[in-house]
Amino acid sequence: MSLTEEIKKRRTFAIIAHPDAGKTTLTEKLLLFGGAIQTAGAVKSNKIDTATKSDWMEIEKQRGISVATSVMGFEYKDTKINLLDTPGHQDFAEDTYRTLTAVDSVIMVIDCVKGVEIQTEKLMEVCRMRNTPVICFINKLDREGRDPYDLLDEVEEKLNIKVRPLSWPIGMGKGFKGVYNLYDQKLNLFTPSQRKLSDDRQVFENLDDAELDGLIGPNNAKQLREDVELIEGVYPEFSVEDYLEGKVAPVFFGSAVNNFGVNEMLDTFIKIAPAPKSRETDVREVKPSESKFSGFVFKIHANMDPNHRNRIAFLRICSGKFERNKPYNHVRGPKPLRFSNVTQFMAQDKEIIDEAFPGDIVGLYDTGNLKIGDTLTDGENMVFTGIPSFSPEIFREVVNKDAMKTKQLEKGLKQLMEEGVAQLFTFDMGSRKVVGTVGQLQFEVIQFRLKNEYNATVEFHPMNLYKACWISSKDKKQLDEFVRSKNRYIARDKDDKLVFMAESKSWLQMVQDNYPEIEFHFTSEF
Ligand code: G4P
């Protein structure tokens, strides 16, 4: 198969959702359709059960297990689908943000009872940064949920994206009768707990067909006719281009656990979702069809066993063909790297592979050379952009409790930060080190791993900080002046970039007002 054909058949995406909306269930149904698994219940939820919510060791164990399901590859109707898993626990949200940099599109699951929840809003913000195309699946229609019109309005309002329903529910909860597919005008009637969908769906080219009344009852038929007329009147025709540009999200209704409405969405997904796209580097745009290989590392999973300090780096292939054992340019590093242990993940198995193509994700066994955001190429010196760090939400000062182990501490902190466990900021004044995270759990993780793997003892002291803002200005003199006058609040990130550590929202606002020539950014790339 030619490189172009390999690229055309690939779809690399992630499912995003607030915990409990049905991500794991939907994943499992997609794998069933793809024939990658045979039985329901085969996919382990990466959700952390409530009993262990604050026990990070248990969580890490579960995360360790979930390495195998970090990427689930399967074939469906001649399409090679790479589904990237995202952590269920919100303390690991930063992991999810990074995973989103490695996909070409996303499916967003929303619980029809709860509507748009906070985690979905945050994840959507990340999608918007790259105009990632989004398909929305409104789940749990077998429950008494919110009015579908309200749900659509809420998605538009809270997620700041236009929507276009491509299917429409008939009733909800106990009265749920099925969905009408607006795209190809087919009616799909609901039978709870069905494993696979039969393809003998009723087709109504004309909804006025009296048979409809017999099938779903006169009241439902009347309501459906009115709804369809209203939708077709209110919403513009669905435009695939607008979807691909991230301007409009097609919406499907269904029930993942009952395997209802999933097939329709998957069929539409393979038709409209983008194949691997071109990507920006600091030098130029890279097309997937270029013959020379390039790719970037978006995730690193450490081995928890201190005797084996190897880790798996997840590489997204962006162009050309990746080959095992071939030396590649590690753009940031001092020497070329070659990988003999390259794995690809197919559903729940992983296998050693010899080659991979754009859109594919491979796992590279690494002994500490790679860090998140690293680019590998077949020669060229360029770095993929669009893999930013986000401002953490919780900050603590690192206090070294064993002065004899300062070196070990420095090394341990550096390596853990390279894995993306948390972010480290070093204040200009007094070189105080501050770790920033999105969740409490990471502090326990860091403390334990520093002790266990590097023999360094630390304590974390709370800090009253609201956000870390990366700062820049077109006017270098003004920037220098700002750094001087606000010296107490200036720190450097891992790449030595300037960061302003704001103590509160209102105070940040005041500083922003007082220094209009300084730009404040909430991500490290601007
Ligand atoms: P997550 O990965 O997004 O966190 O969600 P997950 O798929 O684990 O689903 C969360 C709960 O919602 C599960 O119930 C699951 O069975 C249920 N669920 C998923 N899809 C539907 C649906 O279409 N309708 C209804 N009524 N429920 C749905 P649970 O009680 O937490 O677990 P389980 O014991 O049922 O597996």
Side-chain angles (χ1 to χ4, degrees):
M1 208 183 280
S2 71
L3 179 60
T4 324
E5 284 167 328
E6 292 282 4
I7 296 164
K8 245 176 81 185
K9 71 176 277 197
R10 279 168 168 76
R11 302 284 182 278
T12 302
F13 78 108
I15 301 180
I16 56 173
H18 191 89
D20 262 358
K23 183 169 67 71
T24 310
T25 313
L26 183 64
T27 301
E28 182 172 282
K29 301 302 171 187
L30 294 177
L31 293 182
L32 275 172
F33 277 121
I37 53 169
Q38 269 66 47
T39 48
V43 176
K44 288 275 161 294
S45 168
N46 70 0
K47 190 173 41 177
I48 311 301
D49 63 55
T50 20
T52 59
K53 249 194 183 125
S54 55
D55 179 354
W56 75 267
M57 281 286 268
E58 197 46 46
I59 289 169
E60 277 298 310
K61 254 191 249 156
Q62 294 184 28
R63 262 158 54 89
I65 296 161
S66 77
V67 172
T69 57
S70 286
V71 188
M72 288 162 276
F74 61 96
E75 298 252 349
Y76 178 73
K77 295 191 177 169
D78 290 332
T79 307
K80 165 130 200 263
I81 298 178
N82 293 316
L83 166 52
L84 274 60
D85 197 17
T86 50
H89 196 292
Q90 64 194 42
D91 280 13
F92 296 99
E94 182 95 18
D95 254 18
T96 305
Y97 301 158
R98 281 191 297 256
T99 298
L100 292 180
T101 65
V103 301
D104 299 303
S105 70
V106 305
I107 291 177
M108 178 170 70
V109 185
I110 291 174
D111 182 331
C112 75
V113 182
K114 293 183 178 153
V116 176
E117 295 170 89
I118 182 79
Q119 192 66 6
T120 321
E121 284 184 57
K122 285 193 187 167
L123 294 169
M124 189 62 197
E125 270 175 40
V126 181
C127 292
R128 300 198 62 81
M129 289 171 63
R130 299 178 55 239
N131 297 325
T132 308
V134 177
I135 290 179
C136 184
F137 184 77
I138 298 190
N139 191 26
K140 306 196 186 180
L141 265 282
D142 58 317
R143 285 202 182 155
E144 299 296 338
R146 309 241 310 264
D147 176 68
Y149 291 106
D150 283 354
L151 285 166
L152 292 179
D153 285 350
E154 190 175 85
V155 171
E156 286 206 337
E157 218 171 274
K158 286 200 176 161
L159 302 182
N160 195 15
I161 186 164
K162 292 252 162 294
V163 294
R164 176 50 164 110
L166 290 187
S167 74
W168 194 254
I170 305 158
M172 238 188 216
K174 285 201 182 72
F176 182 48
K177 289 276 180 288
V179 289
Y180 181 69
N181 190 327
L182 294 158
Y183 201 46
D184 49 13
Q185 301 172 339
K186 282 182 185 162
L187 180 70
N188 195 355
L189 293 180
F190 177 62
T191 329
S193 296
Q194 67 191 132
R195 278 276 311 274
K196 283 249 176 195
L197 287 179
S198 59
D199 263 349
D200 53 347
R201 275 164 259 172
Q202 303 278 342
V203 181
F204 288 92
E205 273 167 27
N206 177 4
L207 276 185
D208 292 330
D209 194 328
E211 212 188 319
L212 184 67
D213 297 66
L215 269 177
I216 58 174
N219 287 344
N220 283 324
K222 181 166 170 276
Q223 182 71 45
L224 179 63
R225 288 180 188 116
E226 283 172 12
D227 284 341
V228 170
E229 198 183 323
L230 186 67
I231 293 157
E232 298 298 357
V234 169
Y235 291 99
E237 204 173 316
F238 173 60
S239 148
V240 178
E241 287 77 52
D242 284 354
Y243 155 70
L244 290 174
E245 286 170 22
K247 289 184 187 151
V248 65
V251 180
F252 291 85
F253 291 86
S255 167
V257 81
N258 289 294
N259 210 359
F260 192 84
V262 178
N263 202 0
E264 280 85 352
M265 184 185 63
L266 182 58
D267 281 342
T268 312
F269 171 82
I270 57 167
K271 263 188 240 152
I272 66 171
K277 294 190 278 194
S278 297
R279 281 173 180 262
E280 282 299 332
T281 69
D282 57 345
V283 180
R284 64 182 185 89
E285 193 182 77
V286 174
K287 290 198 187 68
S289 56
E290 293 179 17
S291 60
K292 291 203 160 181
F293 154 78
S294 66
F296 65 88
V297 174
F298 64 94
K299 173 177 172 138
I300 288 180
H301 203 290
N303 191 333
M304 289 297 290
D305 179 353
N307 299 321
H308 299 96
R309 206 172 276 166
N310 58 351
R311 36 195 199 178
I312 303 176
F314 289 81
L315 178 83
R316 150 93 197 203
I317 291 151
C318 298
S319 70
K321 183 162 88 172
F322 175 87
E323 290 174 70
R324 187 159 80 97
N325 277 329
K326 197 170 167 185
Y328 287 122
N329 177 14
H330 177 216
V331 178
R332 186 184 53 84
K335 57 177 196 314
L337 298 176
R338 131 196 351 249
F339 303 91
S340 56
N341 199 343
V342 181
T343 45
Q344 201 163 39
F345 308 87
M346 290 301 286
Q348 305 189 291
D349 303 320
K350 48 183 185 174
E351 51 175 24
I352 302 272
I353 49 126
D354 292 317
E355 53 183 39
F357 297 93
D360 285 343
I361 311 294
V362 293
L364 308 173
Y365 280 82
D366 170 48
T367 46
N369 295 309
L370 293 170
K371 73 174 182 182
I372 285 173
D374 275 3
T375 298
L376 294 172
T377 71
D378 196 355
E380 198 170 341
N381 278 325
M382 59 184 179
V383 173
F384 283 99
T385 53
I387 314 145
S389 303
F390 295 85
S391 174
E393 285 162 26
I394 307 169
F395 299 86
R396 303 241 168 105
E397 185 177 354
V398 184
V399 180
N400 185 2
K401 298 307 280 181
D402 183 353
M404 302 295 286
K405 298 282 173 355
T406 307
K407 269 216 176 100
Q408 285 87 332
L409 172 61
E410 303 255 317
K411 184 172 173 205
L413 271 179
K414 183 168 167 283
Q415 293 209 346
L416 294 186
M417 299 305 132
E418 284 175 4
E419 279 173 30
V421 177
Q423 293 182 60
L424 184 71
F425 302 94
T426 309
F427 273 92
D428 277 11
M429 249 173 88
S431 301
R432 287 160 76 202
K433 286 187 166 35
V434 172
V435 166
T437 68
V438 286
Q440 299 283 353
L441 281 171
Q442 270 90 342
F443 293 105
E444 286 172 53
V445 175
I446 297 167
Q447 199 171 34
F448 179 89
R449 288 191 54 189
L450 283 174
K451 182 81 203 150
N452 209 34
E453 297 169 37
Y454 300 90
N455 202 15
T457 313
V458 292
E459 265 178 15
F460 287 107
H461 290 182
M463 289 202 76
N464 184 24
L465 287 171
Y466 160 67
K467 281 263 151 77
C469 307
W470 284 265
I471 47 172
S472 66
S473 175
K474 289 189 182 75
D475 186 336
K476 180 156 183 330
K477 248 178 88 184
Q478 296 273 13
L479 186 64
D480 289 345
E481 174 51 33
F482 180 80
V483 168
R484 236 190 327 274
S485 70
K486 292 277 174 274
N487 190 249
R488 274 182 60 200
Y489 308 100
I490 301 295
R492 312 282 162 159
D493 74 357
K494 65 177 188 325
D495 300 317
D496 218 26
K497 280 190 182 163
L498 275 174
V499 181
F500 176 68
M501 308 294 271
E503 284 182 348
S504 71
K505 195 173 178 175
S506 53
W507 185 64
L508 174 62
Q509 187 60 54
M510 209 172 72
V511 177
Q512 281 177 307
D513 291 345
N514 290 345
Y515 293 88
E517 55 297 310
I518 306 293
E519 289 174 51
F520 296 78
H521 314 271
F522 293 103
T523 72
S524 63
E525 255 180 33
F526 36 85

